[in-house]
Amino acid sequence: MSSTAGPVPPGHTSACPDPGGAVDAGPDRAAGYRAVFAVPEFRYVFVAHLLSSLGVVVCEIALSVLVFRLTDSPLLSALTFALGLLPYVVGGTLLSAVADRYPARRVLVGCDALCALAAAGLLVPGTPVAVLLALRCVIAAVAPVFAGTRAATLGDVLGEGDLFVLGRSVIRIVNQSAQLAGFGAGGLLLAVASPTAVLALTAATFTASGLLLWLGTRARPARDGARGQAPGALLGDSLGGVRRLWADRRVRALLLLTWLPPTFVVIPEALLVPYADRLGVGPAGAGLLMCSMPVGAVLAEGLVGSFLGPRGRSRLTFPLGVFAVLPSLGFAAEPSLGWAMLLLVLTGTGIAYNFGVDRWLVAAIPEQQLGRAMTLTQAGRMTLMGLAMGAAGIAAEWVPLRVVMPAGGVVGAVCVLAVIAEVRRTRGGHRAPAGTAPRAGRGAPGGPVATEK
């Protein structure tokens, strides 16, 4: 377990303290995204993630349209979107050990293959709606395992310094860009093709992603060396890993800092359709509002990642974490379309707080639990976002939008400030829990790698 004091592990550069109490490796200068894409293995990971992200977004739109055509039920159509979030808690808790117990490349390719099969199942004519929704749940439950494994593998591909942080930033940029491009492309495709034909594209993107990862990434052994355990121990191993991570005060504080800003940010986002209706701007206005937050996120990620060094990004972590939830206060004034879009763009810029959190979190987690932790990070974030969206919708049934939307900002600011105080309190003297090994330093990208067996 890395701490803020003591000798620097082999393979790491000299450390310097940052505001979160973890370590900042390397000089205070931005490595730049060009250095990340200079690593050939990362380029394969990037293209694979781009394809699968677009496939997921297109799948959500096409499946929602297909279910509505089959049932004429707005509730079931909307449920296809909710099922893209809520099953994350299943994969993130019950299957999190997969990310560490099995070779990473095998896990990533296996997840893509399973998602491709589930997407192919959506194409079968006459499939009952219940089965369609169940297959959507399969894709969602696999997603946190895939994301956690990929996040942990970035440390092997890029090293654990600034390139790792920038690599994570690229993944977030892809996620936000996929929403913009995927919803637009999905709408255009559905205008000229059937939902089933569009869903075939999803199966193809997962297949292509799996092939790219198999051909372009290196074989590495299981992270915790527990492959010999019986498969039946997977559930206990996953739940035990979650308990150990949650019991660590430092890790718990950083997980909460990762989860809470997005949880409260999505409250106004979940109410944009009724807000657009209240403004009288129609579907086109609602679409503009929905695109605004991803635009702010992509701009902030690109600017902060390109022009600030590790120390500068770390210093922005706490201010941006709080700032992310504050623009929603402006909805108390019921702003017009233009001002509402500006508030949402400003909200999106808060995503750049993740630069510092990523660095501190990876420094606080034992090597053999990194995959579990990254899986839990993704699962917790998506699950809480889904619950917050549902809570916002329920509240809006009884309370005016001008109250519900800014209320998320008020409660969010209080919660985020409390978590920041806890992160500060745990900044020093952090020790690995009993029974865990300290993190071994990784060398530079592309260093010696064991062969998968």
Side-chain angles (χ1 to χ4, degrees):
M1 179 85 70
S2 301
S3 63
T4 57
V8 180
H12 286 248
T13 56
S14 299
C16 56
D18 64 36
V23 294
D24 259 337
D28 184 32
R29 61 182 178 84
Y33 291 114
R34 181 178 297 179
V36 176
F37 284 101
V39 180
E41 193 172 358
F42 179 79
R43 295 199 292 268
Y44 280 89
V45 174
F46 168 78
V47 176
H49 181 57
L50 179 62
L51 288 173
S52 59
S53 295
L54 288 172
V56 168
V57 174
V58 170
C59 175
E60 289 178 343
I61 301 173
L63 185 59
S64 178
V65 172
L66 177 61
V67 169
F68 183 74
R69 289 183 180 179
L70 292 174
T71 65
D72 201 30
S73 169
L75 174 61
L76 290 177
S77 178
L79 189 59
T80 62
F81 287 98
L83 291 177
L85 294 176
L86 297 180
Y88 268 72
V89 70
V90 177
T93 55
L94 304 185
L95 302 175
S96 62
V98 170
D100 291 319
R101 287 181 58 184
Y102 299 97
R105 186 173 70 173
R106 191 180 301 172
V107 173
L108 294 174
V109 175
C111 287
D112 269 337
L114 183 58
C115 289
L117 289 174
L122 299 173
L123 308 177
V124 179
T127 302
V129 172
V131 176
L132 293 176
L133 297 179
L135 291 172
R136 180 68 185 97
C137 285
V138 170
I139 296 174
V142 169
V145 178
F146 181 92
T149 305
R150 182 191 57 226
T153 302
L154 286 181
D156 299 311
V157 175
L158 300 173
E160 289 180 357
D162 200 38
L163 289 186
F164 171 82
V165 176
L166 289 171
R168 291 272 288 165
S169 172
V170 170
I171 296 300
R172 290 193 297 271
I173 290 175
V174 169
N175 291 337
Q176 298 297 324
S177 301
Q179 292 185 47
L180 294 172
F183 282 127
L188 291 175
L189 288 172
L190 287 169
V192 298
S194 68
T196 302
V198 176
L199 287 170
L201 181 63
T202 297
T205 59
F206 280 123
T207 302
S209 173
L211 287 173
L212 283 169
L213 291 171
W214 180 258
L215 297 173
T217 60
R218 303 177 67 182
R220 295 176 172 89
R223 193 171 295 276
D224 70 356
R227 284 178 293 165
Q229 297 180 7
L234 178 62
L235 177 60
D237 192 5
S238 297
L239 293 175
V242 171
R243 285 194 297 268
R244 287 191 295 274
L245 290 167
W246 191 251
D248 186 307
R249 185 179 177 185
R250 173 71 175 172
V251 173
R252 182 171 64 246
L254 291 172
L255 286 173
L256 289 172
L257 184 57
T258 302
W259 295 341
L260 288 182
T263 297
F264 293 101
V265 159
V266 298
I267 289 176
E269 188 178 27
L271 301 174
L272 291 180
V273 171
Y275 188 77
D277 181 70
R278 182 176 180 82
L279 293 179
V281 296
L288 289 173
L289 290 172
M290 290 180 178
C291 290
S292 298
M293 198 178 295
V295 167
V298 171
L299 287 175
E301 286 275 358
L303 292 174
V304 172
S306 297
F307 297 107
L308 292 182
R311 287 192 187 92
R313 299 189 207 112
S314 293
R315 291 191 183 104
L316 284 177
T317 299
F318 294 153
L320 285 178
V322 177
F323 176 77
V325 302
L326 295 181
S328 62
L329 299 177
F331 284 97
E334 297 186 307
S336 62
L337 176 64
W339 286 109
M341 290 174 62
L342 177 60
L343 290 174
L344 292 167
V345 169
L346 291 174
T347 299
T349 62
I351 196 175
Y353 89 100
N354 284 289
F355 280 105
V357 180
D358 281 345
R359 181 179 294 277
W360 304 337
L361 190 59
V362 77
I365 298 167
E367 173 67 24
Q368 67 272 26
Q369 293 184 13
L370 184 59
R372 293 174 176 84
M374 291 301 177
T375 302
L376 180 62
T377 298
Q378 180 76 353
R381 180 189 295 118
M382 301 301 286
T383 301
L384 289 177
M385 287 170 61
L387 293 174
M389 287 179 174
I394 294 172
E397 289 287 332
W398 309 97
V399 182
L401 294 177
R402 67 177 185 276
V403 175
V404 178
M405 298 172 83
V410 174
V411 177
V414 172
C415 292
V416 173
L417 285 170
V419 170
I420 287 174
E422 177 67 3
V423 172
R424 288 186 180 277
R425 282 192 292 268
T426 60
R427 70 173 66 186
H430 184 246
R431 295 176 177 270
T436 62
R439 178 184 299 281
R442 292 193 187 97
V449 179
T451 302
E452 179 182 334
K453 296 180 181 179

